[in-house]
Amino acid sequence: MNSFVSAAAIGAKAEAAVDIIRLSDVRRRFGETPALDGISLTVRKGEIFGIIGRSGAGKSTLIRCLNGLERADSGEIHIDGRDIAGLAEQELQPLRRRIGMIFQHFNLLSAKTVEENIALPLKIEGVAKPERLQRARELLDLVGLSDKAKAYPASLSGGQKQRVGIARALAARPALLLSDEATSALDPETTRSILSLLKDINRKLGLTVVLITHEMEVIRSIADRVAVIDAGRIVEEGQVWSVFGNPQTAITRSLLGSIRPQLPEHITARLSAETGSEAILSVDLAGPEAQGALFADLSAALPHSFRLVHGGIDHIQNQPVARFFIAVPARDPRLQDQVAQFLTARSARVEVLGYDTDHA
């Protein structure tokens, strides 16, 4: 076992119920604009927690409040058991060493070698050179760059630079790792490798990771829980499979549009709000019902009541999630209600999208 995998880290999973972050009614305004408007959430030790939202939703302000770079106007911000909201700058310094940061654009020093970049936080702390270089070598091994210790950032690919950034963030053995759009500048293949590395670090070290991102696939791939932020407020929160499989708010459904089945455009284009031969319904499911005999049961209960138009089943966190589009004959208004009631009773979220004007 590598020396940096401490006994405390091994035991971190056993402490998973303990909150490492707890925010209560956090508010921050810039002039008349509320950047954070009553944020309350908790992140447990050892989990990977995702925060998603559009640009300007408040994600960057939130992460700056978490590491003490931004001061909240009101509310409580507990990090690793301590309320940091009222701490003086001098008191914040030791706390910041408990928080590792990885950034979208790496923030490496071009004049320093890879190992010097990684060891820099330890140098600032006053750690002796042999010890900090030993730590740098351990971390280079962890992130798969053992042969790049003497290289300079200019010679590295984007993915390698981000691995160095991750290693540097881990140098001081933080209790919390914050990732601020860390994969946004990377291609899809490199993004997958970085996410796999973060998942591996979380598993090996028991390290809590908070991902701030607008990329839904990032959250889908590795997060345990997710919060959706919009206009400075948390509008939805829960297990990733549950939120992605059955989103409750319009903003969440919009954000997930790129990774969830969508009604084909040629059908959407001919939908009417009031007239048509068929009503088109979207059906969202998450959990066991998503791969059960739902539609067979529906056909048995209401023969000839629908046809499947589009959709599919995915698996997130080993849980099935599904989205289907079905067409229900519009000749009998009661039939549409009966179908919706049947599906809703089986934990589906059903929405009438419109009426197909062309289907015969």
Side-chain angles (χ1 to χ4, degrees):
M1 182 179 295
N2 290 329
S3 62
F4 52 84
V5 184
S6 66
I10 294 172
K13 289 297 183 182
E15 302 176 35
V18 178
D19 297 336
I20 193 167
I21 295 175
R22 180 167 60 84
L23 305 184
S24 179
D25 197 27
V26 174
R27 299 176 184 273
R28 180 72 171 106
R29 298 180 71 89
F30 296 104
E32 296 301 314
T33 304
L36 301 178
D37 192 12
I39 295 287
S40 296
L41 61 83
T42 60
V43 179
R44 296 186 286 268
K45 283 189 176 180
E47 76 174 337
I48 300 179
F49 189 89
I51 300 174
I52 60 175
R54 292 172 173 159
S55 296
K59 302 188 303 297
S60 295
T61 302
L62 178 56
I63 201 169
R64 288 176 62 83
C65 285
L66 290 177
N67 62 20
L69 294 177
E70 192 76 55
R71 297 286 188 163
D73 296 326
S74 62
E76 297 180 359
I77 303 175
H78 290 261
I79 304 293
D80 207 15
R82 188 174 186 187
D83 187 359
I84 71 169
L87 295 183
E89 182 63 27
Q90 187 174 0
E91 295 174 297
L92 278 171
Q93 291 303 323
L95 181 93
R96 287 199 186 110
R97 289 196 284 270
R98 299 281 291 154
I99 302 173
M101 282 287 301
I102 51 177
F103 304 92
Q104 178 180 0
H105 297 297
F106 323 126
N107 291 9
L108 302 179
L109 298 179
S110 60
K112 292 187 177 293
T113 66
V114 163
E115 68 178 4
E116 289 171 340
N117 268 279
I118 295 171
L120 184 59
L122 300 178
K123 183 177 181 180
I124 294 171
E125 282 188 33
V127 176
K129 185 174 182 179
E131 183 179 345
R132 63 180 187 253
L133 292 181
Q134 174 61 29
R135 176 66 174 163
R137 285 190 288 270
E138 292 172 353
L139 290 167
L140 280 168
D141 183 56
L142 177 67
V143 301
L145 293 177
S146 296
D147 59 336
K148 299 295 184 180
K150 302 300 182 183
Y152 286 87
S155 68
L156 304 180
S157 67
Q160 289 171 331
K161 289 177 183 176
Q162 194 55 282
R163 287 172 180 267
V164 175
I166 292 170
R168 181 186 57 193
L170 297 175
R173 294 178 172 85
L176 172 64
L177 182 63
L178 302 179
S179 170
D180 186 10
E181 300 281 7
T183 59
S184 295
L186 304 176
D187 62 73
E189 183 179 358
T190 304
T191 291
R192 285 191 293 271
S193 72
I194 294 298
L195 295 179
S196 178
L197 174 61
L198 288 174
K199 186 70 173 179
D200 192 48
I201 288 169
N202 167 259
R203 179 180 58 82
K204 286 181 177 178
L205 307 184
L207 182 65
T208 307
V209 182
V210 175
L211 303 165
I212 304 287
T213 184
H214 67 277
E215 297 178 290
M216 303 305 102
E217 187 59 40
V218 169
I219 302 299
R220 180 194 181 281
S221 297
I222 67 168
D224 300 310
R225 291 191 301 130
V226 62
V228 183
I229 186 171
D230 183 46
R233 298 181 178 182
I234 300 296
V235 296
E236 194 162 352
E237 183 181 352
Q239 295 288 321
V240 172
W241 68 269
S242 178
V243 172
F244 278 39
N246 191 0
Q248 300 299 303
T249 65
I251 181 63
T252 306
R253 292 192 289 274
S254 176
L255 288 168
L256 295 175
S258 63
I259 64 172
R260 301 174 71 233
Q262 302 296 313
L263 190 65
E265 289 185 6
H266 71 280
I267 299 177
T268 302
R270 65 187 192 225
L271 291 185
S272 165
E274 297 179 357
T275 62
S277 58
E278 293 180 321
I280 304 298
L281 279 62
S282 66
V283 181
D284 291 294
L285 290 151
E289 292 284 4
Q291 59 182 12
L294 181 69
F295 290 131
D297 292 343
L298 175 60
S299 293
L302 299 167
H304 310 296
S305 62
F306 78 100
R307 67 184 180 89
L308 185 61
V309 175
H310 186 64
I313 299 175
D314 196 0
H315 284 80
I316 301 175
Q317 295 177 309
N318 299 320
Q319 291 284 343
V321 299
R323 190 179 200 205
F324 297 103
F325 300 90
I326 62 174
V328 178
R331 61 181 179 272
D332 183 355
R334 295 175 300 173
L335 184 58
Q336 177 183 313
D337 291 338
Q338 289 172 336
V339 169
Q341 289 170 7
F342 181 95
L343 296 171
T344 301
R346 285 154 179 79
S347 303
R349 187 180 64 83
V350 181
E351 180 182 359
V352 179
L353 301 180
Y355 294 87
D356 193 337
T357 57
D358 284 358
H359 184 74

